[in-house]
Amino acid sequence: MTRDGFRAEEIDTSRPHPARIYDYLLGGKDNYEVDRQAAERLASVAPEARIGVQANRAFMRRAVRHVVGSGVRQILDIGTGLPTSPNVHEIARETAPDVRVAYVDNDPIVKTHADALLGDSSATSIVLADLRDPRAVLDHPDVRRVIDFDEPVALLLVAILHFLSEADEPERVVATLRDALPAGSFLVLSHATGDFADRSGAQAVYNDATATMNLRNRAEVERFFDGFDLVEPGLAQVPFWRPDAPPPPRSAEIGFYGGVARKNG
């Protein structure tokens, strides 16, 4: 059993994992044949999938720069996925070298890769925990070692909440995390949607994965921002959230909403 309470045999490489599918679509190498097959099926039924994950990643980079530029020096990144450079701490420290980052993921393989990348740093941690138990995330000693919840925190929930079903009570999960954040904190969130094209085929690819894909419409995604004030331009398709370059082709089809919001009270 590992320090985080997971046994080696609990690492499931027999089914596709969302983090490894995402890694493959980004051009990464930390994936298995089962993940590559799932990713290719995804791309066949959702032709914009590759540019969609790239646009989502670019949204994350812009959002991190925004929150750090607004003065936040702590980031809690839940559902971080496999390391893809530049990582959140690298992006943040381009603006402010003193930013501290706690990464959280529920895949032991993700943690193994992140441990190798991050090494022994007092300003970063990688935690094996599950978003569905937000209290355990908040109370984890390696989160508390890096994050001071008396000071503003940027909470990153990037392309993760759509892997929670309604039975997982995602609104409760986000509310628990929100209530732990002090005023001046930020929520950075992106979420898959079927609002711009029929993506039932894409959704079906994840039926055999370790987590299902739960598409939500604009109103459902906006509810995750309850208790926060969205910054301009509000909730938008990720290529159109404060773009710093021309949007890629087929951007109008990209099924990811993204937004950044501040907690003012």
Side-chain angles (χ1 to χ4, degrees), residues 158-181:
V158 176
I160 182 64
L161 286 175
H162 47 245
F163 295 117
L164 269 60
S165 69
E166 291 308 300
D168 295 320
E169 301 179 283
E171 290 184 43
R172 172 194 59 83
V173 168
V174 176
T176 300
L177 296 167
R178 177 200 64 212
D179 292 348
L181 303 177

Side-chain angles (χ1 to χ4, degrees), residues 117-176:
L117 175 72
L118 297 175
D120 186 17
S121 170
S122 61
T124 54
S125 66
I126 175 68
V127 172
L128 193 59
D130 198 311
L131 175 62
R132 289 169 290 191
D133 187 355
R135 194 70 252 170
V137 171
L138 294 166
D139 293 340
H140 196 289
D142 282 341
V143 170
R144 293 282 172 169
R145 176 175 64 80
V146 173
I147 304 295
D148 177 1
F149 287 98
D150 291 328
E151 299 293 333
V153 178
L155 169 64
L156 270 58
L157 297 174
V158 176
I160 182 64
L161 286 175
H162 47 245
F163 295 117
L164 269 60
S165 69
E166 291 308 300
D168 295 320
E169 301 179 283
E171 290 184 43
R172 172 194 59 83
V173 168
V174 176
T176 300

